[in-house]
Structure formats: structure tokens, C-alpha cells
């Protein structure tokens, strides 16, 4: 059953003040005004009208909602699950992710809960160290922390006005009408008529499918992930630990005083059967690294059942002239819904966070009359973010392919020449450079 909650009165802003005075605010869209209704009346057909609807309450969706909220623009977030999907493990945020979290005023709250990672160590499967780095030696401004997905989602959700998120609201179909509005039909039969739709519904995005995007492509390897729990305190230094084998690699990084995130990435010609039994997942993960350092084995044993998973890695390359644009009319995509990428650079969540603030700023400009149109703002966002997301997606894929090679000669060169003598961390982290200003509602 869909939980369609009443709309909480919007906080004062120039948009809301004008709208209360005139009941609607015309926004130029190039050809005709778009009236952003403030009174959520039912249309004659019974459809509920909304100004901005965000599909998906993941990282991208909630960050976009918070970014818009900071700029004085209310949204409704549709989430198909009955509550926030707080399962899973953690994700690594580099300085670009923290720039965004600071711009929407949640960075300080999160920093107190997670350890700052000082560097990284690369080892062979026999435990021999190949190379180590300190992040600050390469870039004084670098900031790396592994963040629990659950805590990040709950923190973002806490910044939104009550009743912004509508749970048990699974999208069924999408239709656009003649004036550019979008009709969203949910599985329970309810409908919403939206002026602006932002698709943040992940790698299997229904919004992206409606816009003509292909399914993300399997890249040939899968990953086990988990979050080890040490009730008396975890024993590791504040470093990312990578272990490389042939066609197999693993890693682990401290998250907090008691938790450590780990992963094992392995080649697989097919997706294989979907397995959810934690006991089987742990057994399979341990078998892959049975001769590797004992720390990794212990981590797997100390992983609570609800945090372990096995997932295929996928991505989508946004080839120019081939892939559809990021927007269609007044519908636009954010994060994995648009540019799913493999986790080899640790940039999936960071890139989604970047998307959220860039899109929010451009939409606010259009809604407040500083830009030509909502459609134009979305096109500008797509152009700016494509030049960022496409190279990152390709680079992440290539890095993963190189690290997953199982050729003995290639692995020998990697372990004895490339990593110990040629690898430089600084150039590898240049993609984490991203600047954004704090978001505040316009006072004009």
C-alpha cells in the first residue's frame, strides 16, 4: 500500500512568498510559462500535482532533495521501499564528496563518526608490501573517509522537511503531456503530475529506460562486500589496504573505531545465480582468499550477516552521439541512473553528490528567473556533467580491467615494476578536484 502523506508547509523563500501572493509563479521555459503550483490541489482527473518529484531515495536522490531545499525549493521524493534502504556496507568518499557534503551543511556531522584515512598500502597475496602512500604527502587538501551508507542516508534524510519522502511508492509508468508536465503512475494506482522529474532510481532506473538508455553492461567481474565488526575495537591503522593476486583482488579500510569495510573482487564470465544466504556468501568469499593474509579471513568471520553481499559490477559508457542526453523535456537523471560506474576509483557516490549540487544550482537559477528555462538548465547540467562523468566511467572500467588481469607475465610486471617503481598517487587522484560553494536560498 502506498503511503501518500500530506505535504508539509514549505519554508519561506522568495519562490514561496511570491507563489503565495499570486498562487502560481510563471517560469519561462523558452516557449511558454510553466506555473509552479504551490497549492497541491487534485486535478480534475484525480492526479496529485507536484512541482519537483525525485524518484529514488538513495544517495543521489536525497542529496538532490537536500540541495534544492537549501536553495528554497521543495521537492517530493518517491521511494519504492517501505523505509530507507540502509542495508549494505560503506562507501569511500574523497575530498570532492566532502566538498559537496560541506556545501549542504552535513559534512561536520558526518566527520565526527568516521575515521580520516591517512594513506594506502598495496600488498601481494602473500602479504608482501609492494608500495605505500600517504594522502597528505600527495595533496594536502585530500580528505578520505569510508562512510557507512546507512548513516549517510539517515543524515541526508534528517535534513529534509517532514513528509518529504514518500515510502512504498514504486514507479510503474511515465508519460509526458503536451505542456511538458510528466504523469507518474505508481504501482498502487495513484498518480502524480509533476512539473519537474529527477530520476535518481539507480542502475536499473525506470526513468532512464523511459528516456531511451540501454541497460548497464556487466564488466566481467563481481564483488563480495562486507562490514566487519570488532566490539572491542578494530586493530588496523588508518590506511586503505589493497591486496592483488591473479584475476583476484581484495581490500579493506577502517570505517570507525569498531568497523572495517572489506571487499573481494573476482573474475566471472557470467553473473551467476543470485545468492543471498549469508553463510554461503561468507563461505564463498573465504574460499577465494583461503591462502591470503589472515586479517582478511578474520574480517569475513566478523561480518554481521546483514552487511555481506555479492554483486556483479556494471557500468554504462555515455558515448557522444550514441547515448541519449541527460534530460528529456523537464525530466533529468542523476547519479547511477545516468552514469553507473564501477567502484575502482571510489567515485560513484562522489559523482552522484557532485551531480546533485550542480543540478540544484542550475534549476534554482531557472526557477528564480536567472536562467532562460528549466529545460535549458537541465541541458546545461547534462553538458557540464557529461564531460566529468564519461571520462571517470571509462577510467574506472580500464583500471578495473587492468587490476583483474590473470596473465602471469602481466601480473609479474605489475607487482615488480609498475607498482613499486612507476606508480604515482598524485596524478591518480586529480579527478577528486571539485569545488562548490555553500548553498543558500536567494534573497532577491
Amino acid at each position: 500500500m502506498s503511503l501518500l502523506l500530506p505535504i508539509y508547509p514549505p519554508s519561506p523563500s522568495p519562490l514561496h512568498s511570491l507563489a503565495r501572493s499570486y498562487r502560481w509563479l510563471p517560469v519561462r521555459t523558452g516557449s511558454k510559462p510553466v506555473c509552479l503550483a504551490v497549492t497541491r490541489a487534485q486535478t480534475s482527473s484525480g492526479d496529485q500535482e507536484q512541482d519537483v518529484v525525485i524518484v529514488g531515495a538513495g544517495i543521489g536522490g536525497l542529496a538532490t532533495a537536500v540541495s534544492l531545499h537549501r536553495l528554497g525549493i521543495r521537492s517530493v521524493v518517491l521511494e519504492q521501499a517501505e523505509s530507507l534502504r540502509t542495508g549494505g556496507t560503506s562507501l569511500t568518499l574523497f575530498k570532492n564528496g566532502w566538498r559537496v557534503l560541506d556545501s549542504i551543511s552535513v559534512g561536520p556531522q558526518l566527520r565526527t563518526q568516521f575515521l580520516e584515512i591517512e594513506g594506502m598500502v598495496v600488498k601481494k597475496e602473500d602479504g608482501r608490501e609492494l608500495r605505500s602512500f600517504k594522502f597528505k604527502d600527495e595533496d594536502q587538501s585530500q580528505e578520505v573517509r569510508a562512510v557507512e551508507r546507512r548513516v549517510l542516508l539517515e543524515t541526508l534524510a534528517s535534513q529534509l522537511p517532514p513528509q518529504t519522502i514518500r515510502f512504498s511508492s514504486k514507479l510503474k509508468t511515465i508519460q509526458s503531456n503536451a505542456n511538458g508536465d510528466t504523469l507518474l503512475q505508481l504501482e498502487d494506482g495513484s498518480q502524480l503530475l509533476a512539473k519537474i522529474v529527477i530520476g535518481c532510481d539507480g542502475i536499473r532506473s525506470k526513468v532512464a529506460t523511459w528516456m531511451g538508455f540501454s541497460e548497464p553492461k556487466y564488466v566481467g567481474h563481481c564483488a563480495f562486500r562486507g562490514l566487519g565488526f570488532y566490539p572491542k575495537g578494530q586493530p588496523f591503522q588508518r590506511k586503505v589496504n589493497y591486496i592483488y593476486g591473479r584475476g583476484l583482488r581484495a581490500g579493506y579500510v577502517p570505517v570507525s573505531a569498531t568497523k572495517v569495510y572489506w571487499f573481494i573482487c573476482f573474475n566471472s564470465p557470467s553473473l551467476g545465480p543470485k545468492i543471498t544466504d549469508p553463510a554461503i556468501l561468507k563461505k564463498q568469499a573465504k574460499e577465494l582468499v583461503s591462502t591470503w593474509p589472515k586479517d582478511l579471513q578474520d574480517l569475513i568471520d566478523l561480518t554481521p550477516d546483514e552487511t555481506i553481499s555479492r554483486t556483479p559490477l556494471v557500468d554504462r559508457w555515455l558515448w557522444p552521439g550514441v547515448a541519449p542526453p541527460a534530460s528529456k523535456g523537464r525530466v533529468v537523471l542523476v547519479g547511477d541512473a545516468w552514469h553507473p560506474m564501477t567502484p575502482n576509483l571510489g567515485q560513484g557516490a562522489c559523482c552522484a553528490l557532485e551531480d546533485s549540487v550542480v543540478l540544484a544550482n542550475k534549476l534554482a537559477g531557472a526557477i528564480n528567473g536567472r536562467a532562460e528555462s528549466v529545460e535549458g538548465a537541465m541541458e546545461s547540467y547534462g553538458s557540464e556533467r557529461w564531460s566529468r562523468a564519461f571520462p571517470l566511467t571509462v577510467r574506472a572500467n580500464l583500471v578495473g580491467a587492468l587490476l583483474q588481469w590473470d596473465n602471469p607475465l602481466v601480473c609479474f610486471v605489475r607487482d615488480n615494476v609498475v607498482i613499486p617503481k612507476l606508480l604515482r598517487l598524485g596524478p591518480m587522484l586529480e579527478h577528486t578536484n571539485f569545488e562548490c560553494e555553500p548553498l543558500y536560498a536567494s534573497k532577491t
Side-chain angles (χ1 to χ4, degrees):
M1 177 180 179
S2 175
L3 182 61
L4 293 179
L5 300 172
I7 298 299
Y8 189 75
S11 56
S13 72
L15 172 63
H16 298 131
S17 299
L18 280 171
R20 280 197 295 269
S21 300
Y22 295 97
R23 292 189 54 89
W24 51 263
L25 177 69
V27 177
R28 289 192 302 167
T29 64
S31 58
K32 63 180 72 175
V34 175
C35 302
L36 295 185
V38 174
T39 55
R40 270 61 173 183
Q42 298 290 319
T43 66
S44 58
S45 62
D47 304 332
Q48 188 178 26
E49 292 184 341
Q50 300 291 345
D51 296 342
V52 181
V53 174
I54 297 171
V55 182
I59 294 169
L62 293 181
T64 301
V66 174
S67 297
L68 289 170
H69 178 59
R70 292 283 185 262
L71 294 169
I73 299 170
R74 283 294 306 270
S75 63
V76 171
V77 182
L78 303 180
E79 169 53 47
Q80 65 178 355
E82 296 179 356
S83 61
L84 287 177
R85 286 177 287 179
T86 55
T89 55
S90 74
L91 46 99
T92 303
L93 294 181
F94 289 82
K95 68 177 182 180
N96 52 327
W98 290 103
R99 295 287 187 275
V100 174
L101 295 174
D102 284 338
S103 76
I104 58 176
S105 304
V106 299
Q109 182 177 346
L110 288 166
R111 281 188 182 91
T112 62
Q113 302 178 68
F114 303 106
L115 301 174
E116 181 169 8
I117 305 306
E118 298 171 352
M120 60 180 282
V121 179
V122 182
K123 302 176 182 178
K124 282 180 61 68
E125 67 266 34
D126 60 7
R128 177 168 63 92
E129 182 176 316
L130 300 176
R131 192 80 178 271
S132 64
F133 303 89
K134 290 185 177 180
F135 291 125
K136 298 294 186 184
D137 288 347
E138 306 293 333
D139 178 359
Q140 279 294 322
S141 66
Q142 188 58 255
E143 181 177 6
V144 184
R145 298 173 197 265
V147 175
E148 284 188 70
R149 187 176 186 274
R150 172 187 62 82
V151 176
L152 178 57
L153 290 178
E154 290 174 350
T155 301
L156 290 170
S158 71
Q159 305 300 305
L160 295 170
Q163 304 168 354
T164 295
I165 307 172
R166 299 184 174 189
F167 297 106
S168 301
S169 297
K170 186 176 183 180
L171 180 63
K172 183 178 181 180
T173 62
I174 307 171
Q175 292 179 318
S176 58
N177 61 21
N179 68 356
D181 292 348
T182 303
L183 181 65
L184 305 175
Q185 182 173 352
L186 307 185
E187 289 285 355
D188 67 353
S190 60
Q191 297 184 135
L192 292 87
L193 189 64
K195 301 295 182 184
I196 294 170
V197 174
I198 305 174
C200 304
D201 45 341
I203 61 174
R204 306 299 178 194
S205 168
K206 285 190 176 180
V207 181
T209 299
W210 175 78
M211 292 173 63
F213 283 88
S214 61
E215 284 289 310
K217 183 179 178 181
Y218 175 57
V219 300
H221 34 275
C222 300
F224 287 99
R225 296 181 176 98
L227 194 64
F229 178 59
Y230 293 76
K232 296 182 179 180
Q234 53 87 6
F236 302 104
Q237 295 182 333
R238 297 186 181 192
K239 295 180 179 180
V240 183
N241 295 267
Y242 291 115
I243 308 170
Y244 294 157
R246 290 173 50 187
L248 181 67
R249 57 192 161 110
Y252 56 91
V253 57
V255 176
S256 65
T258 58
K259 296 179 181 179
V260 180
Y261 165 70
W262 62 269
F263 74 88
I264 299 171
C265 193
F266 63 98
N267 294 341
S268 177
S270 64
L271 300 179
K274 184 176 181 179
I275 300 173
T276 57
D277 186 330
I280 296 176
L281 293 175
K282 284 186 179 182
K283 181 175 181 292
Q284 291 181 344
K286 291 186 67 174
E287 287 174 349
L288 283 172
V289 294
S290 60
T291 61
W292 287 27
K294 186 176 183 299
D295 287 343
L296 189 56
Q297 301 278 335
D298 293 342
L299 260 174
I300 298 171
D301 286 334
L302 293 169
T303 299
D305 288 350
E306 66 271 16
T307 72
I308 191 169
S309 65
R310 176 189 184 275
T311 55
L313 302 187
V314 301
D315 64 14
R316 179 192 290 130
W317 290 24
L318 302 174
W319 290 109
V322 177
S327 62
K328 179 179 180 181
R330 296 199 297 272
V331 180
V332 67
L333 298 175
V334 162
D336 284 348
W338 180 27
H339 48 69
M341 63 182 71
T342 55
N344 300 299
L345 299 179
Q347 285 297 300
C350 291
C351 209
L353 290 170
E354 290 180 14
D355 286 352
S356 69
V357 293
V358 173
L359 178 61
N361 269 316
K362 291 184 181 293
L363 286 180
I367 290 172
N368 293 324
R370 299 191 304 270
E372 179 66 19
S373 67
V374 169
E375 291 92 335
M378 290 182 175
E379 290 171 5
S380 175
Y381 154 82
S383 176
E384 179 178 331
R385 294 303 299 161
W386 176 88
S387 63
R388 173 79 165 153
F390 180 52
L392 279 175
T393 303
V394 174
R395 185 176 177 184
N397 181 290
L398 296 178
V399 168
L402 289 171
L403 294 177
Q404 290 299 132
W405 273 346
D406 57 7
N407 181 285
L409 178 60
V410 171
C411 292
F412 177 85
V413 173
R414 178 195 66 191
D415 296 344
N416 294 278
V417 179
V418 177
I419 294 176
K421 300 177 181 180
L422 301 180
L423 184 63
R424 293 177 58 210
L425 187 60
M428 291 183 61
L429 295 178
E430 288 181 353
H431 60 261
T432 65
N433 293 324
F434 178 79
E435 298 296 332
C436 56
E437 298 297 323
L439 303 188
Y440 301 107
S442 173
K443 295 188 170 51
T444 60

